[in-house]
Amino acid sequence: LYSAKSYLWLSYHQSKSNITGQPAPAGSFIDISQPPSNDPFIASIDEPYSKEYRLQWHNDILVNKVNSLQLGLEYRHINVDNFIVKNNFDLTDIVQGNFPIRYYGELKETSLVQSASQRDIYGVYSQYQGKFFSNTELTIGLRYDYFSTIGSHLSPRIAVTQQINANQTVKLIYSQAFRAPSEAELNLQNNLQFAGSPNLQAETVQTWELIWQGQWQHFNASLGYFENHFDNAIVRVANEEG
C-alpha cells in the first residue's frame, strides 16, 4: 500500500502600518528643550514596507499501513527597511540624554528606531513514523535550519508511545528547537525601554516530556512532566532609564 503526495507553496507577504502616540504629556520638557516648549511629546512612525518571499515543498509518503515518511524543504527571504520616527521633540536626544532636547515645532522625521536588514532562511526536514510490535509507535524527526548572518542548527526529535492497555498510553518525547533572534531583537535602537543587540546568537532548547493518558467511556485524564534546558536564551531586559 504505497502512496505519495507532494505539495508546493509560493507566497509573498507585504505589510505597512502607522503608529502615532504621546509618550509624554504637555510640560514634560519645558525646562530641558531648545527652544523651550510646553507641548506634549508626540511621536509617529510610518512603518516601512516589510517584505517576505517564501517557498515550501512538502512530501507525504505512505510506505504501508503503519509506516510513513514526511520530508521537505523551505526558503524564506525577509527584507525590512529603516524605521524612522517623526517627532516634535528629538527622540534620539531623549534616549541618549543629549540636553537640551531639540524641539522642532512640528513632526520631523529625524530618529532611527530600527535599522534596515535582510536575511535568507533555509530549512530541510524529515520525519519517520512507524509502529513496532502491536503496542509501540515510534516517531523520529530531524530538521536543519540556516539563517544568514546568524548560523545554523540541527534539531532532532524522537517520540515513543507505548499502549499499556485498551485505556492507557505512555509517551516519552525528546526534542530540540532553534529560534533565531527577530529583526527587532537585533536592530532596535533609540527606544525608551529596550535596545536591540546585533551580536545576539540563536537560542536553543532541549525538551524532555513524559505523558500518561487515560481514556474511558465517561472519563479522560492525563498527567505530564517536562523539562526545558535553554542555551543562549534571548531575554528582554528594560533599560535602567525606562
Side-chain angles (χ1 to χ4, degrees), residues 3-231:
S3 66
K5 295 181 180 179
S6 186
Y7 305 89
L8 181 66
W9 293 273
L10 292 171
S11 64
Y12 170 73
H13 180 264
Q14 178 176 290
S15 66
K16 183 178 177 66
S17 63
N18 173 271
I19 302 172
T20 300
Q22 181 181 307
S28 298
F29 302 136
I30 189 170
D31 295 325
I32 54 174
S33 58
Q34 182 61 43
S37 173
N38 193 45
D39 284 354
F41 174 33
I42 304 295
S44 177
I45 179 172
D46 286 315
E47 182 179 320
Y49 283 116
S50 174
K51 303 173 184 178
E52 178 178 344
Y53 304 86
R54 185 167 186 170
L55 167 67
Q56 186 173 5
W57 180 45
H58 177 78
N59 300 274
D60 285 318
I61 301 172
L62 183 64
V63 180
N64 52 45
K65 291 182 179 180
V66 294
N67 294 277
S68 63
L69 179 68
Q70 296 81 42
L71 55 90
L73 56 86
E74 60 181 334
Y75 167 73
R76 296 166 61 197
H77 175 77
I78 300 174
N79 193 339
V80 181
D81 293 333
N82 284 323
F83 286 29
I84 301 177
V85 164
K86 297 176 182 177
N87 39 216
N88 56 345
F89 293 92
D90 194 279
L91 176 62
T92 304
D93 288 347
I94 296 170
V95 173
Q96 297 182 3
N98 299 328
F99 301 109
I101 297 167
R102 286 170 287 181
Y103 172 68
Y104 301 116
E106 60 180 341
L107 293 181
K108 281 195 173 183
E109 199 173 64
T110 63
S111 300
L112 179 67
V113 294
Q114 185 174 310
S115 55
S117 60
Q118 62 178 0
R119 65 171 67 177
D120 292 295
I121 304 168
Y122 301 88
V124 180
Y125 61 89
S126 178
Q127 178 174 274
Y128 167 79
Q129 294 176 296
K131 192 167 186 178
F132 293 84
F133 312 110
S134 59
N135 299 319
T136 305
E137 295 181 1
L138 176 66
T139 301
I140 299 176
L142 195 63
R143 181 181 175 92
Y144 173 78
D145 290 286
Y146 171 79
F147 282 68
S148 60
T149 73
I150 294 176
S152 62
H153 190 263
L154 191 64
S155 304
R157 182 180 186 272
I158 182 168
V160 179
T161 302
Q162 180 66 44
Q163 188 82 32
I164 300 174
N165 53 41
N167 304 108
Q168 300 180 71
T169 58
V170 173
K171 181 181 292 187
L172 178 64
I173 304 171
Y174 171 77
S175 62
Q176 290 187 21
F178 166 89
R179 186 179 80 83
S182 67
E183 305 301 322
E185 289 168 335
L186 290 169
N187 303 310
L188 191 67
Q189 55 185 289
N190 291 323
N191 185 282
L192 293 172
Q193 291 186 309
F194 304 102
S197 173
N199 298 318
L200 281 178
Q201 299 297 311
E203 69 177 12
T204 59
V205 58
Q206 299 183 53
T207 300
W208 287 94
E209 295 181 74
L210 180 62
I211 303 169
W212 167 85
Q213 292 180 316
Q215 295 182 329
W216 292 269
Q217 184 175 0
H218 303 292
F219 178 72
N220 295 333
S222 64
L223 182 65
Y225 171 80
F226 68 91
E227 286 188 8
N228 291 324
H229 298 274
F230 288 87
D231 288 320

